[in-house]
PDB file of all heavy atoms in Angstrom:
ATOM      1  N   ARG A1308       2.607  -6.668  33.407  1.00 95.00           N
ATOM      2  CA  ARG A1308       2.602  -8.111  33.169  1.00 95.00           C
ATOM      3  C   ARG A1308       1.574  -8.480  32.102  1.00 95.00           C
ATOM      4  O   ARG A1308       1.835  -9.339  31.249  1.00 95.00           O
ATOM      5  CB  ARG A1308       2.326  -8.852  34.483  1.00 95.00           C
ATOM      6  CG  ARG A1308       3.544  -8.904  35.407  1.00 95.00           C
ATOM      7  CD  ARG A1308       3.206  -9.479  36.757  1.00 95.00           C
ATOM      8  NE  ARG A1308       4.413  -9.670  37.570  1.00 95.00           N
ATOM      9  CZ  ARG A1308       4.422  -9.779  38.888  1.00 95.00           C
ATOM     10  NH1 ARG A1308       3.281  -9.721  39.566  1.00 95.00           N
ATOM     11  NH2 ARG A1308       5.560  -9.953  39.538  1.00 95.00           N
ATOM     12  N   ALA A1309       0.424  -7.818  32.134  1.00 94.00           N
ATOM     13  CA  ALA A1309      -0.613  -8.095  31.137  1.00 94.00           C
ATOM     14  C   ALA A1309      -0.187  -7.623  29.750  1.00 94.00           C
ATOM     15  O   ALA A1309      -0.400  -8.317  28.749  1.00 94.00           O
ATOM     16  CB  ALA A1309      -1.916  -7.424  31.554  1.00 94.00           C
ATOM     17  N   VAL A1310       0.418  -6.452  29.676  1.00 93.00           N
ATOM     18  CA  VAL A1310       0.852  -5.898  28.389  1.00 93.00           C
ATOM     19  C   VAL A1310       1.938  -6.771  27.761  1.00 93.00           C
ATOM     20  O   VAL A1310       1.886  -7.106  26.570  1.00 93.00           O
ATOM     21  CB  VAL A1310       1.361  -4.452  28.570  1.00 93.00           C
ATOM     22  CG1 VAL A1310       2.058  -3.972  27.302  1.00 93.00           C
ATOM     23  CG2 VAL A1310       0.207  -3.520  28.916  1.00 93.00           C
ATOM     24  N   LEU A1311       2.925  -7.157  28.554  1.00 95.00           N
ATOM     25  CA  LEU A1311       4.007  -7.993  28.042  1.00 95.00           C
ATOM     26  C   LEU A1311       3.489  -9.367  27.617  1.00 95.00           C
ATOM     27  O   LEU A1311       3.927  -9.924  26.604  1.00 95.00           O
ATOM     28  CB  LEU A1311       5.096  -8.141  29.102  1.00 95.00           C
ATOM     29  CG  LEU A1311       5.869  -6.854  29.431  1.00 95.00           C
ATOM     30  CD1 LEU A1311       6.724  -7.053  30.682  1.00 95.00           C
ATOM     31  CD2 LEU A1311       6.735  -6.419  28.265  1.00 95.00           C
ATOM     32  N   ALA A1312       2.547  -9.897  28.392  1.00 94.00           N
ATOM     33  CA  ALA A1312       1.968 -11.201  28.049  1.00 94.00           C
ATOM     34  C   ALA A1312       1.216 -11.138  26.725  1.00 94.00           C
ATOM     35  O   ALA A1312       1.253 -12.098  25.940  1.00 94.00           O
ATOM     36  CB  ALA A1312       1.030 -11.660  29.164  1.00 94.00           C
ATOM     37  N   ALA A1313       0.543 -10.031  26.460  1.00 92.00           N
ATOM     38  CA  ALA A1313      -0.197  -9.893  25.207  1.00 92.00           C
ATOM     39  C   ALA A1313       0.754  -9.881  24.007  1.00 92.00           C
ATOM     40  O   ALA A1313       0.482 -10.501  22.974  1.00 92.00           O
ATOM     41  CB  ALA A1313      -1.031  -8.619  25.234  1.00 92.00           C
ATOM     42  N   HIS A1314       1.866  -9.177  24.133  1.00 93.00           N
ATOM     43  CA  HIS A1314       2.834  -9.159  23.040  1.00 93.00           C
ATOM     44  C   HIS A1314       3.455 -10.534  22.831  1.00 93.00           C
ATOM     45  O   HIS A1314       3.675 -10.963  21.686  1.00 93.00           O
ATOM     46  CB  HIS A1314       3.917  -8.120  23.319  1.00 93.00           C
ATOM     47  CG  HIS A1314       3.486  -6.724  23.037  1.00 93.00           C
ATOM     48  ND1 HIS A1314       2.693  -5.990  23.886  1.00 93.00           N
ATOM     49  CD2 HIS A1314       3.712  -5.906  21.970  1.00 93.00           C
ATOM     50  CE1 HIS A1314       2.460  -4.798  23.381  1.00 93.00           C
ATOM     51  NE2 HIS A1314       3.071  -4.723  22.215  1.00 93.00           N
ATOM     52  N   HIS A1315       3.742 -11.221  23.914  1.00 94.00           N
ATOM     53  CA  HIS A1315       4.293 -12.572  23.791  1.00 94.00           C
ATOM     54  C   HIS A1315       3.281 -13.511  23.144  1.00 94.00           C
ATOM     55  O   HIS A1315       3.636 -14.360  22.322  1.00 94.00           O
ATOM     56  CB  HIS A1315       4.692 -13.088  25.173  1.00 94.00           C
ATOM     57  CG  HIS A1315       5.250 -14.480  25.151  1.00 94.00           C
ATOM     58  ND1 HIS A1315       6.354 -14.826  24.397  1.00 94.00           N
ATOM     59  CD2 HIS A1315       4.853 -15.621  25.779  1.00 94.00           C
ATOM     60  CE1 HIS A1315       6.618 -16.107  24.573  1.00 94.00           C
ATOM     61  NE2 HIS A1315       5.723 -16.618  25.383  1.00 94.00           N
ATOM     62  N   LYS A1316       2.014 -13.337  23.498  1.00 92.00           N
ATOM     63  CA  LYS A1316       0.952 -14.172  22.922  1.00 92.00           C
ATOM     64  C   LYS A1316       0.910 -14.010  21.412  1.00 92.00           C
ATOM     65  O   LYS A1316       0.738 -14.987  20.663  1.00 92.00           O
ATOM     66  CB  LYS A1316      -0.392 -13.772  23.529  1.00 92.00           C
ATOM     67  CG  LYS A1316      -1.564 -14.666  23.126  1.00 92.00           C
ATOM     68  CD  LYS A1316      -1.570 -15.937  23.925  1.00 92.00           C
ATOM     69  CE  LYS A1316      -2.857 -16.701  23.774  1.00 92.00           C
ATOM     70  NZ  LYS A1316      -2.866 -17.940  24.583  1.00 92.00           N
ATOM     71  N   LYS A1317       1.107 -12.788  20.942  1.00 91.00           N
ATOM     72  CA  LYS A1317       1.080 -12.541  19.502  1.00 91.00           C
ATOM     73  C   LYS A1317       2.209 -13.281  18.793  1.00 91.00           C
ATOM     74  O   LYS A1317       2.023 -13.818  17.706  1.00 91.00           O
ATOM     75  CB  LYS A1317       1.152 -11.038  19.225  1.00 91.00           C
ATOM     76  CG  LYS A1317       1.051 -10.681  17.758  1.00 91.00           C
ATOM     77  CD  LYS A1317       0.671  -9.229  17.529  1.00 91.00           C
ATOM     78  CE  LYS A1317       1.701  -8.267  18.020  1.00 91.00           C
ATOM     79  NZ  LYS A1317       1.451  -6.880  17.547  1.00 91.00           N
ATOM     80  N   THR A1318       3.384 -13.327  19.417  1.00 92.00           N
ATOM     81  CA  THR A1318       4.496 -14.057  18.807  1.00 92.00           C
ATOM     82  C   THR A1318       4.212 -15.553  18.756  1.00 92.00           C
ATOM     83  O   THR A1318       4.667 -16.247  17.839  1.00 92.00           O
ATOM     84  CB  THR A1318       5.807 -13.822  19.563  1.00 92.00           C
ATOM     85  OG1 THR A1318       5.728 -14.390  20.874  1.00 92.00           O
ATOM     86  CG2 THR A1318       6.122 -12.341  19.678  1.00 92.00           C
ATOM     87  N   LEU A1319       3.470 -16.057  19.744  1.00 90.00           N
ATOM     88  CA  LEU A1319       3.124 -17.472  19.753  1.00 90.00           C
ATOM     89  C   LEU A1319       2.102 -17.803  18.675  1.00 90.00           C
ATOM     90  O   LEU A1319       2.133 -18.896  18.091  1.00 90.00           O
ATOM     91  CB  LEU A1319       2.578 -17.872  21.132  1.00 90.00           C
ATOM     92  CG  LEU A1319       3.549 -17.773  22.312  1.00 90.00           C
ATOM     93  CD1 LEU A1319       2.846 -18.164  23.605  1.00 90.00           C
ATOM     94  CD2 LEU A1319       4.772 -18.647  22.088  1.00 90.00           C
ATOM     95  N   PHE A1320       1.183 -16.885  18.406  1.00 90.00           N
ATOM     96  CA  PHE A1320       0.195 -17.098  17.352  1.00 90.00           C
ATOM     97  C   PHE A1320       0.887 -17.261  15.994  1.00 90.00           C
ATOM     98  O   PHE A1320       0.618 -18.204  15.252  1.00 90.00           O
ATOM     99  CB  PHE A1320      -0.787 -15.930  17.279  1.00 90.00           C
ATOM    100  CG  PHE A1320      -1.863 -15.957  18.335  1.00 90.00           C
ATOM    101  CD1 PHE A1320      -2.622 -14.827  18.599  1.00 90.00           C
ATOM    102  CD2 PHE A1320      -2.124 -17.098  19.065  1.00 90.00           C
ATOM    103  CE1 PHE A1320      -3.627 -14.844  19.565  1.00 90.00           C
ATOM    104  CE2 PHE A1320      -3.108 -17.122  20.028  1.00 90.00           C
ATOM    105  CZ  PHE A1320      -3.869 -15.992  20.279  1.00 90.00           C
ATOM    106  N   ASP A1321       1.745 -16.309  15.670  1.00 91.00           N
ATOM    107  CA  ASP A1321       2.402 -16.322  14.364  1.00 91.00           C
ATOM    108  C   ASP A1321       3.550 -15.314  14.398  1.00 91.00           C
ATOM    109  O   ASP A1321       3.318 -14.106  14.385  1.00 91.00           O
ATOM    110  CB  ASP A1321       1.404 -15.944  13.273  1.00 91.00           C
ATOM    111  CG  ASP A1321       1.988 -16.047  11.873  1.00 91.00           C
ATOM    112  OD1 ASP A1321       3.220 -15.987  11.732  1.00 91.00           O
ATOM    113  OD2 ASP A1321       1.217 -16.184  10.912  1.00 91.00           O
ATOM    114  N   PRO A1322       4.802 -15.784  14.421  1.00 91.00           N
ATOM    115  CA  PRO A1322       5.942 -14.864  14.510  1.00 91.00           C
ATOM    116  C   PRO A1322       6.005 -13.855  13.359  1.00 91.00           C
ATOM    117  O   PRO A1322       6.351 -12.691  13.576  1.00 91.00           O
ATOM    118  CB  PRO A1322       7.152 -15.811  14.486  1.00 91.00           C
ATOM    119  CG  PRO A1322       6.629 -17.113  14.991  1.00 91.00           C
ATOM    120  CD  PRO A1322       5.218 -17.191  14.483  1.00 91.00           C
ATOM    121  N   VAL A1323       5.696 -14.284  12.157  1.00 88.00           N
ATOM    122  CA  VAL A1323       5.771 -13.382  11.004  1.00 88.00           C
ATOM    123  C   VAL A1323       4.699 -12.298  11.106  1.00 88.00           C
ATOM    124  O   VAL A1323       4.970 -11.107  10.937  1.00 88.00           O
ATOM    125  CB  VAL A1323       5.618 -14.162   9.686  1.00 88.00           C
ATOM    126  CG1 VAL A1323       5.581 -13.203   8.494  1.00 88.00           C
ATOM    127  CG2 VAL A1323       6.770 -15.158   9.536  1.00 88.00           C
ATOM    128  N   PHE A1324       3.455 -12.721  11.382  1.00 88.00           N
ATOM    129  CA  PHE A1324       2.376 -11.756  11.569  1.00 88.00           C
ATOM    130  C   PHE A1324       2.697 -10.817  12.721  1.00 88.00           C
ATOM    131  O   PHE A1324       2.418  -9.614  12.661  1.00 88.00           O
ATOM    132  CB  PHE A1324       1.069 -12.495  11.847  1.00 88.00           C
ATOM    133  CG  PHE A1324       0.018 -11.661  12.524  1.00 88.00           C
ATOM    134  CD1 PHE A1324      -0.679 -10.693  11.823  1.00 88.00           C
ATOM    135  CD2 PHE A1324      -0.252 -11.824  13.885  1.00 88.00           C
ATOM    136  CE1 PHE A1324      -1.640  -9.908  12.451  1.00 88.00           C
ATOM    137  CE2 PHE A1324      -1.205 -11.045  14.514  1.00 88.00           C
ATOM    138  CZ  PHE A1324      -1.899 -10.087  13.801  1.00 88.00           C
ATOM    139  N   SER A1325       3.299 -11.339  13.779  1.00 90.00           N
ATOM    140  CA  SER A1325       3.629 -10.550  14.955  1.00 90.00           C
ATOM    141  C   SER A1325       4.540  -9.381  14.606  1.00 90.00           C
ATOM    142  O   SER A1325       4.290  -8.239  14.999  1.00 90.00           O
ATOM    143  CB  SER A1325       4.294 -11.440  16.008  1.00 90.00           C
ATOM    144  OG  SER A1325       4.723 -10.689  17.108  1.00 90.00           O
ATOM    145  N   VAL A1326       5.581  -9.647  13.849  1.00 90.00           N
ATOM    146  CA  VAL A1326       6.523  -8.593  13.479  1.00 90.00           C
ATOM    147  C   VAL A1326       5.869  -7.587  12.535  1.00 90.00           C
ATOM    148  O   VAL A1326       5.991  -6.369  12.719  1.00 90.00           O
ATOM    149  CB  VAL A1326       7.775  -9.207  12.812  1.00 90.00           C
ATOM    150  CG1 VAL A1326       8.650  -8.116  12.188  1.00 90.00           C
ATOM    151  CG2 VAL A1326       8.574  -9.996  13.843  1.00 90.00           C
ATOM    152  N   ARG A1327       5.147  -8.070  11.537  1.00 87.00           N
ATOM    153  CA  ARG A1327       4.520  -7.175  10.562  1.00 87.00           C
ATOM    154  C   ARG A1327       3.482  -6.272  11.240  1.00 87.00           C
ATOM    155  O   ARG A1327       3.442  -5.064  10.998  1.00 87.00           O
ATOM    156  CB  ARG A1327       3.864  -7.985   9.439  1.00 87.00           C
ATOM    157  CG  ARG A1327       3.245  -7.108   8.379  1.00 87.00           C
ATOM    158  CD  ARG A1327       3.075  -7.793   7.047  1.00 87.00           C
ATOM    159  NE  ARG A1327       2.517  -9.132   7.150  1.00 87.00           N
ATOM    160  CZ  ARG A1327       3.167 -10.221   6.768  1.00 87.00           C
ATOM    161  NH1 ARG A1327       4.399 -10.152   6.297  1.00 87.00           N
ATOM    162  NH2 ARG A1327       2.597 -11.409   6.858  1.00 87.00           N
TER     163      ARG A1327
END
Side-chain angles (χ1 to χ4, degrees):
R1308 283 173 173 159
V1310 169
L1311 293 169
H1314 282 79
H1315 179 58
K1316 186 79 168 181
K1317 183 161 64 168
T1318 66
L1319 296 178
F1320 281 165
D1321 185 337
V1323 175
F1324 159 74
S1325 175
V1326 170
R1327 182 158 45 242

